[in-house]
Amino acid sequence: MAVLGVPELALVALVGVSGSGKSTFARRHFAPSQVLSSDAFRAMVADDENDQSASADAFDALHYVAGKRLRAGRLTVVDATNLQPHARAALVRVAREHDVLPVAIVLDVPEALAWARTEARADRTFGKQVLARMSRDLRRTYAQLAREGFRKVHVLRGVDEIDAAQIRFERLF
Ligand code: CTP
Ligand code: MG
């Protein structure tokens, strides 16, 4: 069983394709108020959690709130795919600005499973090609993550590993 060490004050970036189980994982391991999700912020700024044209404003708002939380010493989890280097760089920047450690937790499930889950959801309407592109982005992410400034990169591969994972909060001092 994987025990993931996470500093008690950290900015935790979940990383994974749609359907990898990020929101489920966040619900299981963190309090709702600790989790900032890109869906919720799209809904806040554009009334539609799937409105990709609202992403820039949604992430501006998400980063702003993350900064406020980190300044107050509150652990913060970012529930978004975080598959693009610029998306992760923005999170590392916010963490550094507030002297908080950025940590990445990668959820990696077989693409067929992620697609089956996504296809079954009424609130996800994109096609298989979009998910295939996310999977390619995830493969690329592995080579990039190590040198992006994350203090720790935890990788959970497969449903069993994800289900069994525990988080151990580590005191900093
Ligand atoms: N799911 C499941 N069993 C798990 C994890 C997830 O059946 N162990 C289901 C969820 O109930 C949900 C779907 O798979 O219907 C996607 O899981 P979710 O946690 O929402 O995935 P995300 O990675 O958050 O997907 P997205 O990026 O689209 O928000
Ligand atoms: Mg989600």
Side-chain angles (χ1 to χ4, degrees), residues 22-23 39 79 121 124:
K22 300 178 297 297
S23 300
D39 282 344
D79 176 11
R121 290 178 63 178
R124 288 288 182 274

Side-chain angles (χ1 to χ4, degrees), residues 15-73:
V15 178
V17 305
S18 219
S20 59
K22 300 178 297 297
S23 300
T24 303
F25 186 90
R27 267 196 299 278
R28 182 173 303 157
H29 296 285
F30 301 96
S33 58
Q34 293 179 313
V35 180
L36 305 182
S37 93
S38 52
D39 282 344
F41 277 85
R42 276 195 207 88
M44 256 181 257
V45 302
D47 297 321
D48 177 359
E49 66 174 47
N50 285 305
D51 184 348
Q52 299 301 315
S53 75
S55 287
D57 284 341
F59 278 102
D60 274 356
L62 187 155
H63 296 149
Y64 182 80
V65 175
K68 291 291 185 192
R69 289 185 53 83
L70 298 180
R71 186 181 307 172

Side-chain angles (χ1 to χ4, degrees), residues 117-132:
R117 288 174 172 178
T118 298
E119 206 181 14
R121 290 178 63 178
D123 57 343
R124 288 288 182 274
T125 53
F126 55 79
K128 205 173 183 173
Q129 291 314 309
V130 173
L131 191 74

